[in-house]
Each structure stands twice: as structure tokens, then as C-alpha cells.
Amino acid sequence: MTRIYHITKFSDSSSYIFFYGCNWNCDFCILKKYRFDIHWSINQKNLEIKFLDLNDVINILFKNDIREVFLGGGEPTLDNSLPFLLKILKDKKIKINTLTNGELLTKEIVDLSDRIAFSIKSVNDEIHKKIVHRSNKKSLENLEKLYNEKFTFETVYLKELGCKNVYEIAQFLDSIKNNLSLRVDPLIPVNEKFQRPDINDVDNCIKYVSKNSTVKIYRIIGSGKNAKVLYP
Ligand code: SF4
């Protein structure tokens, strides 16, 4: 059995695959409010989480002619069946994007993926412990050990931490290599702890970081791609 409980398909034949659970506990995690695709307009509270076995996952993907997958959720590296799934997808030449916080990332997973979207919440470990309730040490060690050209980076813009947190991440990325890619997602509030940031502040931060580092920083404009639910 896998930890996969939700699969969606976009109009470009790519698919987002949701893995259940995470070894981190970010205060602002979107999964605290929406366990399924945020755009899915049904009452998600009544939906039961039911895991798929590996064959079912593969059958759903093949039947729907999926050519690219985004493995996220949740933290895909918690799933022991992940390497098996990756091998099957790779054999079928399906493009694999693995979204991870990096703490349990292995060379095998990097080798089998086409892209690693590596999420950094803060490079300041004191701040990291406050907002994620876990140290960033292991994750950043893994990054140092496993980094290659497949890696792109993501973070969340938190109003409460401002641009400083994003700029520190950019400086850290510059210390690895010039011109790395960093996507910034403005926070979507899920509780009272963190507020929605002003989008002008996010854009000003993007301009500041672009000017003062080599990092290719951007945010997704619009509400994201509309997806069709393949499971459940
Ligand atoms: S690392 Fe991602 S999935 Fe895990 S708790 Fe944080 S926001 Fe949620």
C-alpha cells in the first residue's frame, strides 16, 4: 500500500499526486485546511482518506495518459513505495517532479526524478524551529550532499517574517551556485497565526531579491491550473 490518497489531472496531461502526512509541522501548512486539491469545490471535510496500492496508482495514471507527474502533498519521501513508483514512471518515460522538504531525500530519489522541487521555509534554524517545529539541519545537509542541476527551490512568503527571510534564502542559494530558481508562494492563511501578505510586498520583495542576488525568483500569477479529480 502507498500513502497516496488523491490524484488530479491538468489539461496538459500532467498529474498532481498527493501523499499523506509530513514529517514537518509547518504552522501555515495548507493541508491543515485543505487535504485535497484546494480548487476542488466539494465539502472536503466529509471525504475519507483512502490509500491506493501501487498497481492502482499506475493504472489510474496509464488509463489517463499522464505524461508528467508532480509528487507532493504531503511529503512523498515518507512513502516506502516511492522508489518503486519512480522506477515504473521512469521506465514509461513519464516526467517526474518530486516536491520535498528534503529531510528524508536520498540519492536514489534524486537519480530517479527529473526535477527536485526543494522547499526551504527558512535558513535561520531558530526561525525554522518556531514555524516548522523542527530543525532545518538535516534538510540543508541533504541539500549540500545531493544538490545537482535537477534542483529548483520553493518557499512561502510570510508577512510576519517579511522579505528578510526570503532574501536570506536567496543568499544561501547563491552560496551553492549562481542563478538558481526560487519560486515564492504568498501564504494562503489556514488559521489565525499567519495572515495573508499584501501582494505588493511580495512583488517588491521579488524585485529586491532579483536586484541583490543572482537567484531567479518568481511567483505564479493567477490561481493555478484547474484540475480534474482522478481519485477519489
Ligand atoms: S513541509 Fe510542506 S507538507 Fe510538510 S508541513 Fe510543511 S507545508 Fe505542510
Side-chain angles (χ1 to χ4, degrees):
M1 196 59 80
T2 69
R3 294 173 71 93
I4 295 169
Y5 68 97
H6 185 36
I7 303 178
T8 62
K9 178 183 180 180
F10 301 111
S11 57
D12 59 1
S13 288
S14 64
S15 170
Y16 194 102
I17 300 180
F18 289 72
F19 288 76
Y20 183 78
C22 187
N23 48 341
W24 286 7
N25 182 22
C26 304
D27 284 331
F28 44 82
C29 180
I30 193 89
L31 295 171
K32 290 187 192 294
K33 190 162 179 184
Y34 305 97
R35 291 185 300 174
F36 296 83
D37 182 356
I38 188 171
H39 302 292
W40 198 11
S41 55
I42 60 163
N43 186 352
Q44 299 196 2
K45 278 191 188 128
N46 298 335
L47 276 181
E48 209 186 318
I49 300 275
K50 279 191 271 175
F51 295 137
L52 285 163
D53 71 29
L54 199 51
N55 281 337
D56 291 332
V57 175
I58 297 300
N59 285 339
I60 289 171
L61 297 178
F62 288 1
K63 212 170 75 189
N64 287 281
D65 199 23
I66 297 300
R67 303 309 314 150
E68 178 170 11
V69 289
F70 295 84
L71 309 178
E75 177 53 49
T77 60
L78 280 179
D79 191 333
N80 292 332
S81 63
L82 180 64
F84 302 102
L85 174 64
L86 293 178
K87 279 175 196 153
I88 297 168
L89 296 175
K90 199 173 169 67
D91 260 11
K92 293 287 174 189
K93 301 199 170 13
I94 293 174
K95 188 175 173 194
I96 302 165
N97 302 270
T98 303
L99 286 55
T100 180
N101 63 37
E103 188 169 315
L104 300 173
L105 193 61
T106 61
K107 184 171 182 311
E108 183 183 30
I109 294 170
V110 175
D111 288 347
L112 289 167
S113 302
D114 294 289
R115 182 171 75 97
I116 301 291
F118 194 100
S119 176
I120 302 179
K121 302 300 190 291
S122 179
V123 290
N124 177 323
D125 203 24
E126 288 316 304
I127 290 177
H128 200 271
K129 283 178 191 157
K130 269 189 200 143
I131 60 176
V132 173
H133 305 285
R134 204 160 170 105
S135 169
N136 62 14
K137 204 164 168 267
K138 185 75 177 69
S139 164
L140 297 183
E141 275 171 14
N142 277 345
L143 174 56
E144 204 176 313
K145 204 166 64 192
L146 299 170
Y147 171 79
N148 64 21
E149 70 293 339
K150 291 179 181 177
F151 281 58
T152 64
F153 298 88
E154 300 187 354
T155 193
V156 179
Y157 185 97
L158 300 169
K159 178 183 173 183
E160 291 72 9
L161 298 180
C163 192
K164 186 169 183 279
N165 193 53
V166 179
Y167 183 51
E168 284 173 0
I169 293 170
Q171 286 177 307
F172 173 75
L173 295 179
D174 267 349
S175 74
I176 300 174
K177 195 171 183 277
N178 280 354
N179 300 315
L180 293 178
S181 160
L182 175 64
R183 168 177 156 177
V184 182
D185 293 328
L187 174 100
I188 297 171
V190 296
N191 52 36
E192 299 298 307
K193 269 190 170 176
F194 289 90
Q195 308 293 311
R196 188 184 297 277
D198 184 328
I199 207 67
N200 292 320
D201 291 343
V202 181
D203 286 339
N204 286 335
C205 182
I206 289 173
K207 277 186 207 146
Y208 179 82
V209 172
S210 301
K211 210 171 146 193
N212 292 287
S213 76
T214 74
V215 167
K216 291 178 186 154
I217 183 170
Y218 69 99
R219 71 176 172 91
I220 302 283
I221 312 275
S223 58
K225 298 186 276 184
N226 273 335
K228 175 184 165 193
V229 174
L230 300 183
Y231 182 81

